Short mmCIF file of all heavy atoms in Angstrom, two decimals:
data_model
loop_
_atom_site.label_atom_id
_atom_site.label_comp_id
_atom_site.label_asym_id
_atom_site.label_seq_id
_atom_site.Cartn_x
_atom_site.Cartn_y
_atom_site.Cartn_z
N ASP A 137 94.03 99.02 106.75
CA ASP A 137 93.28 97.78 106.93
C ASP A 137 93.38 97.18 108.31
O ASP A 137 92.62 96.27 108.65
CB ASP A 137 93.74 96.74 105.90
CG ASP A 137 95.24 96.44 105.98
OD1 ASP A 137 96.02 97.41 105.96
OD2 ASP A 137 95.63 95.27 106.04
N GLY A 155 97.12 94.27 103.99
CA GLY A 155 96.13 94.69 102.99
C GLY A 155 96.69 95.57 101.90
O GLY A 155 96.04 95.75 100.86
N MET A 158 96.51 93.96 98.47
CA MET A 158 95.22 93.92 97.78
C MET A 158 94.96 95.24 97.05
O MET A 158 94.47 95.26 95.91
CB MET A 158 94.11 93.64 98.78
CG MET A 158 94.23 92.32 99.50
SD MET A 158 94.17 90.92 98.34
CE MET A 158 94.29 89.54 99.49
N ALA A 183 89.12 99.57 96.90
CA ALA A 183 89.75 98.35 97.41
C ALA A 183 90.19 98.53 98.86
O ALA A 183 90.00 97.63 99.69
CB ALA A 183 90.95 97.99 96.53
N ASN A 186 87.41 98.13 101.26
CA ASN A 186 86.88 96.76 101.31
C ASN A 186 87.85 95.76 101.94
O ASN A 186 87.63 94.56 101.85
CB ASN A 186 86.52 96.29 99.90
CG ASN A 186 85.18 96.82 99.43
OD1 ASN A 186 84.75 97.88 99.84
ND2 ASN A 186 84.52 96.09 98.55
N THR A 187 88.91 96.25 102.58
CA THR A 187 89.96 95.38 103.10
C THR A 187 90.10 95.54 104.61
O THR A 187 90.16 96.66 105.12
CB THR A 187 91.30 95.69 102.42
OG1 THR A 187 91.15 95.61 101.01
CG2 THR A 187 92.37 94.71 102.86
N ARG A 188 90.16 94.41 105.31
CA ARG A 188 90.38 94.41 106.76
C ARG A 188 91.39 93.33 107.12
O ARG A 188 91.38 92.23 106.55
CB ARG A 188 89.08 94.13 107.53
CG ARG A 188 87.97 95.12 107.29
CD ARG A 188 88.23 96.47 107.92
NE ARG A 188 87.03 97.28 107.86
CZ ARG A 188 86.62 97.97 106.78
NH1 ARG A 188 87.36 97.93 105.66
NH2 ARG A 188 85.51 98.68 106.81
N THR A 189 92.22 93.63 108.13
CA THR A 189 93.23 92.69 108.60
C THR A 189 93.29 92.73 110.12
O THR A 189 93.13 93.79 110.73
CB THR A 189 94.62 93.05 108.03
OG1 THR A 189 94.58 93.00 106.60
CG2 THR A 189 95.70 92.11 108.55
N ILE A 190 93.56 91.58 110.72
CA ILE A 190 93.88 91.51 112.15
C ILE A 190 94.92 90.42 112.34
O ILE A 190 94.89 89.39 111.65
CB ILE A 190 92.64 91.28 113.02
CG1 ILE A 190 92.98 91.43 114.51
CG2 ILE A 190 92.01 89.93 112.74
CD1 ILE A 190 91.76 91.48 115.41
N LEU A 241 89.26 85.91 115.60
CA LEU A 241 89.72 86.77 114.52
C LEU A 241 88.68 86.88 113.41
O LEU A 241 88.39 87.96 112.89
CB LEU A 241 91.04 86.25 113.95
CG LEU A 241 92.23 86.16 114.91
CD1 LEU A 241 93.47 85.66 114.16
CD2 LEU A 241 92.52 87.49 115.57
N VAL A 242 88.11 85.76 113.03
CA VAL A 242 87.10 85.75 111.97
C VAL A 242 85.87 86.54 112.40
O VAL A 242 85.30 87.32 111.62
CB VAL A 242 86.74 84.31 111.58
CG1 VAL A 242 85.49 84.28 110.69
CG2 VAL A 242 87.91 83.66 110.86
N ASP A 243 85.43 86.35 113.64
CA ASP A 243 84.28 87.11 114.14
C ASP A 243 84.53 88.61 114.03
O ASP A 243 83.64 89.38 113.63
CB ASP A 243 83.99 86.74 115.60
CG ASP A 243 83.37 85.37 115.76
OD1 ASP A 243 82.90 84.80 114.74
OD2 ASP A 243 83.33 84.86 116.89
N SER A 244 85.73 89.03 114.39
CA SER A 244 86.07 90.46 114.34
C SER A 244 86.07 90.97 112.90
O SER A 244 85.51 92.04 112.61
CB SER A 244 87.43 90.70 114.99
OG SER A 244 87.43 90.34 116.35
N LEU A 245 86.70 90.25 112.00
CA LEU A 245 86.75 90.65 110.60
C LEU A 245 85.36 90.67 109.98
O LEU A 245 85.00 91.61 109.24
CB LEU A 245 87.67 89.70 109.82
CG LEU A 245 89.15 89.78 110.15
CD1 LEU A 245 89.87 88.53 109.66
CD2 LEU A 245 89.78 91.02 109.53
N TYR A 246 84.59 89.65 110.26
CA TYR A 246 83.23 89.53 109.71
C TYR A 246 82.38 90.74 110.11
O TYR A 246 81.69 91.34 109.28
CB TYR A 246 82.61 88.23 110.23
CG TYR A 246 81.24 87.90 109.69
CD1 TYR A 246 81.10 87.08 108.57
CD2 TYR A 246 80.08 88.39 110.30
CE1 TYR A 246 79.84 86.76 108.07
CE2 TYR A 246 78.83 88.07 109.81
CZ TYR A 246 78.71 87.26 108.69
OH TYR A 246 77.47 86.95 108.21
N GLY A 247 82.45 91.10 111.39
CA GLY A 247 81.64 92.21 111.86
C GLY A 247 82.12 93.55 111.36
O GLY A 247 81.32 94.40 110.95
N LEU A 249 83.78 94.28 108.67
CA LEU A 249 83.57 94.44 107.23
C LEU A 249 82.09 94.35 106.85
O LEU A 249 81.73 94.52 105.69
CB LEU A 249 84.36 93.36 106.49
CG LEU A 249 84.75 93.58 105.02
CD1 LEU A 249 85.34 94.95 104.79
CD2 LEU A 249 85.71 92.49 104.57
N LEU A 251 80.02 91.82 106.66
CA LEU A 251 79.73 90.76 105.70
C LEU A 251 78.34 90.19 105.93
O LEU A 251 77.82 90.22 107.05
CB LEU A 251 80.77 89.65 105.79
CG LEU A 251 82.20 90.02 105.39
CD1 LEU A 251 83.14 88.84 105.63
CD2 LEU A 251 82.26 90.46 103.93
N ILE A 257 84.73 86.95 99.18
CA ILE A 257 85.96 87.59 99.60
C ILE A 257 87.18 86.87 99.00
O ILE A 257 87.08 85.74 98.53
CB ILE A 257 86.11 87.61 101.14
CG1 ILE A 257 86.35 86.19 101.67
CG2 ILE A 257 84.93 88.26 101.82
CD1 ILE A 257 86.93 86.15 103.07
N CYS A 258 88.32 87.55 99.07
CA CYS A 258 89.61 86.90 98.95
C CYS A 258 90.20 86.83 100.34
O CYS A 258 90.04 87.74 101.15
CB CYS A 258 90.54 87.68 98.02
SG CYS A 258 90.00 87.71 96.31
N LEU A 259 90.88 85.74 100.63
CA LEU A 259 91.44 85.48 101.95
C LEU A 259 92.95 85.43 101.87
O LEU A 259 93.52 84.78 101.00
CB LEU A 259 90.91 84.14 102.47
CG LEU A 259 91.61 83.54 103.69
CD1 LEU A 259 91.41 84.41 104.92
CD2 LEU A 259 91.11 82.12 103.94
N LEU A 260 93.61 86.13 102.79
CA LEU A 260 95.05 86.08 102.93
C LEU A 260 95.41 85.67 104.35
O LEU A 260 94.99 86.31 105.32
CB LEU A 260 95.67 87.46 102.64
CG LEU A 260 97.13 87.66 103.03
CD1 LEU A 260 98.04 86.73 102.25
CD2 LEU A 260 97.54 89.12 102.81
N VAL A 279 89.31 79.05 109.10
CA VAL A 279 88.65 80.19 108.44
C VAL A 279 87.66 79.69 107.39
O VAL A 279 86.52 80.16 107.31
CB VAL A 279 89.69 81.12 107.79
CG1 VAL A 279 88.99 82.24 107.01
CG2 VAL A 279 90.61 81.75 108.83
N LEU A 283 83.59 80.44 107.52
CA LEU A 283 82.93 81.24 106.48
C LEU A 283 81.92 80.40 105.70
O LEU A 283 80.87 80.92 105.29
CB LEU A 283 83.97 81.84 105.55
CG LEU A 283 84.88 82.90 106.18
CD1 LEU A 283 85.80 83.51 105.14
CD2 LEU A 283 84.06 84.00 106.86
N ARG A 286 78.68 80.45 107.40
CA ARG A 286 77.97 81.73 107.31
C ARG A 286 77.58 82.10 105.88
O ARG A 286 77.07 83.18 105.64
CB ARG A 286 78.84 82.84 107.90
CG ARG A 286 79.21 82.58 109.36
CD ARG A 286 80.01 83.72 109.94
NE ARG A 286 80.47 83.38 111.29
CZ ARG A 286 80.97 84.25 112.16
NH1 ARG A 286 81.07 85.54 111.81
NH2 ARG A 286 81.36 83.88 113.35
N ILE A 288 79.59 82.62 103.28
CA ILE A 288 80.53 83.52 102.63
C ILE A 288 81.39 82.71 101.67
O ILE A 288 82.02 81.72 102.06
CB ILE A 288 81.43 84.24 103.66
CG1 ILE A 288 80.58 84.95 104.71
CG2 ILE A 288 82.38 85.21 102.96
CD1 ILE A 288 79.67 86.02 104.18
N ILE A 290 84.65 82.09 99.29
CA ILE A 290 86.06 82.49 99.21
C ILE A 290 86.50 82.31 97.77
O ILE A 290 86.64 81.19 97.27
CB ILE A 290 86.92 81.66 100.17
CG1 ILE A 290 86.47 81.88 101.62
CG2 ILE A 290 88.40 82.04 100.01
CD1 ILE A 290 87.23 81.06 102.64
N ILE A 309 95.37 87.73 109.37
CA ILE A 309 94.33 87.27 108.45
C ILE A 309 93.69 88.49 107.81
O ILE A 309 93.30 89.43 108.52
CB ILE A 309 93.28 86.41 109.17
CG1 ILE A 309 93.93 85.14 109.74
CG2 ILE A 309 92.13 86.05 108.23
CD1 ILE A 309 93.00 84.30 110.57
N THR A 310 93.60 88.48 106.49
CA THR A 310 93.02 89.59 105.74
C THR A 310 91.81 89.10 104.96
O THR A 310 91.87 88.06 104.30
CB THR A 310 94.04 90.18 104.76
OG1 THR A 310 95.16 90.68 105.49
CG2 THR A 310 93.43 91.30 103.93
N PHE A 311 90.72 89.87 105.03
CA PHE A 311 89.55 89.67 104.18
C PHE A 311 89.48 90.84 103.19
O PHE A 311 89.54 92.00 103.59
CB PHE A 311 88.25 89.67 104.98
CG PHE A 311 88.01 88.44 105.81
CD1 PHE A 311 88.91 87.39 105.85
CD2 PHE A 311 86.84 88.34 106.58
CE1 PHE A 311 88.68 86.26 106.62
CE2 PHE A 311 86.59 87.21 107.35
CZ PHE A 311 87.51 86.17 107.37
N PHE A 312 89.34 90.52 101.91
CA PHE A 312 89.15 91.53 100.87
C PHE A 312 87.80 91.26 100.22
O PHE A 312 87.63 90.28 99.50
CB PHE A 312 90.29 91.45 99.85
CG PHE A 312 90.14 92.37 98.67
CD1 PHE A 312 89.68 93.67 98.82
CD2 PHE A 312 90.46 91.92 97.40
CE1 PHE A 312 89.54 94.51 97.72
CE2 PHE A 312 90.32 92.74 96.29
CZ PHE A 312 89.86 94.04 96.45
N LYS A 313 86.83 92.11 100.49
CA LYS A 313 85.47 91.92 100.00
C LYS A 313 85.36 92.34 98.54
O LYS A 313 85.78 93.43 98.16
CB LYS A 313 84.49 92.74 100.85
CG LYS A 313 83.04 92.56 100.48
CD LYS A 313 82.15 93.39 101.40
CE LYS A 313 80.69 93.27 101.04
NZ LYS A 313 79.84 94.11 101.93
N LEU A 314 84.78 91.45 97.73
CA LEU A 314 84.69 91.66 96.30
C LEU A 314 83.30 92.11 95.87
O LEU A 314 82.30 91.81 96.51
CB LEU A 314 85.03 90.36 95.56
CG LEU A 314 86.42 89.78 95.77
CD1 LEU A 314 86.52 88.41 95.11
CD2 LEU A 314 87.49 90.71 95.22
#
Side-chain angles (χ1 to χ4, degrees):
D137 57 309
M158 299 299 181
N186 280 28
T187 305
R188 300 289 190 279
T189 300
I190 189 169
L241 300 182
V242 169
D243 287 345
S244 298
L245 291 162
Y246 184 94
L249 203 47
L251 294 176
I257 69 162
C258 294
L259 167 66
L260 167 63
V279 176
L283 292 185
R286 302 183 186 193
I288 306 299
I290 299 177
I309 297 175
T310 299
F311 287 1
F312 175 41
K313 183 179 178 181
L314 299 173

